[in-house]
C-alpha cells in the first residue's frame, strides 16, 4: 500500500530510441540500464517484452546473454525492493522477479530466455497449442495467450488489444500478436499473486 491506497503500481521505462524516418522501427536501446533503474526506483517485477534480433538460427543458437544485461537481471533479482544500501527492505518484497518474452522467431534458442533466473514466456494460440511464431524449448517456463493470425477463429484472426502506434503516428489501441503480448499476461498474474500474498 502506498499513501494508504492498496494495489499494484506501474513504472514504464522507455529503452528504445525514436526513429524519425520510420516510427514502426526503433534505433535500438539498452534494456540493462532500465532494469537497474527500475530496481532502484521501487519496481519488484520486471516485465520485458523485448529482445535481440538474429539473422539466422545458427547465430541465435550461438549467442549468449550480454554480460551487462545478465548483471542487470542479477542486480534486479537481488536488490529490487531494497534501499540503496541493500540492507533494508523498502518495497513490498525483498528481491525481484524478471520476466521476458521468448521471442517470435519460431526457433529453439534464445540467450535471454535460457538464462536460468529469468521467467521466460512463450505464446499459445486459441487452441492452446504453441503459437506458430513462438520460440520454444524446455527453457520456456510458461505460455500465455499472445494471439495467432493463423489459428484464429473463422474469418477473424485472434489478436491481443494493446497500445501502440496507430494512424498519424499517434499512440492508440491496436491489435497485435507475439510473445510480447503473452508476457504481460504472466507479469500481471505475478503482480496479482504478490498483491494478495503481501496484502498490498
Amino acid at each position: 500500500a502506498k499513501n494508504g491506497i492498496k494495489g499494484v503500481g506501474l513504472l514504464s521505462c522507455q529503452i528504445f530510441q525514436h526513429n524519425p524516418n520510420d516510427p514502426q522501427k526503433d534505433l535500438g536501446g539498452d534494456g540493462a540500464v532500465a532494469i537497474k533503474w527500475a530496481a532502484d526506483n521501487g519496481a519488484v517485477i520486471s516485465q520485458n517484452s523485448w529482445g535481440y534480433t538474429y539473422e539466422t538460427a545458427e547465430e541465435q543458437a550461438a549467442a549468449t546473454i550480454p554480460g551487462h544485461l545478465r548483471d542487470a537481471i542479477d542486480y534486479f533479482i537481488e536488490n529490487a525492493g531494497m534501499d540503496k544500501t541493500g540492507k533494508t527492505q523498502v518495497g513490498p518484497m525483498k528481491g525481484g522477479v524478471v520476466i521476458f518474452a521468448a521471442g517470435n522467431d519460431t526457433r529453439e534458442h534464445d540467450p535471454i530466455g535460457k538464462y536460468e533466473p529469468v521467467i521466460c514466456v512463450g505464446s499459445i494460440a486459441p487452441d492452446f497449442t504453441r503459437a506458430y511464431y513462438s520460440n520454444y524449448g524446455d527453457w520456456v517456463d510458461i505460455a500465455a495467450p499472445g494471439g495467432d493470425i493463423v489459428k484464429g477463429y473463422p474469418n477473424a484472426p485472434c489478436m491481443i488489444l494493446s497500445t501502440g502506434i496507430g494512424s498519424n503516428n499517434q499512440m492508440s489501441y491496436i491489435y497485435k500478436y507475439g510473445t510480447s503480448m503473452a508476457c504481460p499476461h504472466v507479469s500481471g498474474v505475478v503482480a496479482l499473486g504478490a498483491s494478495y500474498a503481501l496484502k498490498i
Side-chain angles (χ1 to χ4, degrees):
K2 188 173 184 179
N3 299 327
I5 301 172
K6 291 186 175 187
V8 174
L10 297 175
L11 290 173
S12 179
C13 300
Q14 172 66 27
I15 65 170
F16 300 110
Q17 300 174 60
H18 174 69
N19 184 342
N21 298 321
D22 186 351
Q24 298 297 325
K25 294 185 178 179
D26 62 80
L27 296 176
D30 190 354
V33 172
I35 291 170
K36 183 182 182 306
W37 182 89
D40 291 340
N41 285 276
V44 292
I45 299 168
S46 176
Q47 198 286 144
N48 298 274
S49 286
W50 61 272
Y52 295 97
T53 302
Y54 301 93
E55 295 297 322
T56 66
E58 294 75 23
E59 179 188 0
Q60 191 164 351
T64 58
I65 185 170
H68 72 292
L69 178 59
R70 184 191 61 242
D71 292 346
I73 290 169
D74 292 345
Y75 180 89
F76 190 95
I77 291 168
E78 182 69 25
N79 296 294
M82 304 300 289
D83 69 2
K84 294 193 187 296
T85 69
K87 296 178 181 174
T88 305
Q89 181 178 336
V90 294
M93 59 192 214
K94 181 178 180 180
V97 177
V98 178
I99 305 166
F100 264 89
N104 308 318
D105 308 301
T106 318
R107 294 178 180 160
E108 295 184 67
H109 303 284
D110 183 80
I112 302 172
K114 284 186 170 183
Y115 186 50
E116 188 61 34
V118 166
I119 296 173
C120 186
V121 182
S123 183
I124 57 172
D127 64 357
F128 303 105
T129 62
R130 179 177 63 86
Y132 75 93
Y133 52 81
S134 183
N135 287 350
Y136 58 93
D138 60 5
W139 49 273
V140 175
D141 298 297
I142 191 169
D148 191 316
I149 60 171
V150 173
K151 295 179 181 175
Y153 299 105
N155 302 319
C158 178
M159 298 174 73
I160 307 296
L161 185 63
S162 184
T163 55
I165 304 296
S167 60
N168 301 322
N169 295 326
Q170 299 294 316
M171 288 300 296
S172 180
Y173 288 103
I174 59 175
Y175 285 96
K176 299 188 75 138
Y177 64 95
T179 58
S180 290
M181 300 294 105
C183 195
H185 286 92
V186 173
S187 300
V189 170
V190 171
L192 184 60
S195 73
Y196 279 111
L198 301 170
K199 298 181 176 27
I200 54 175

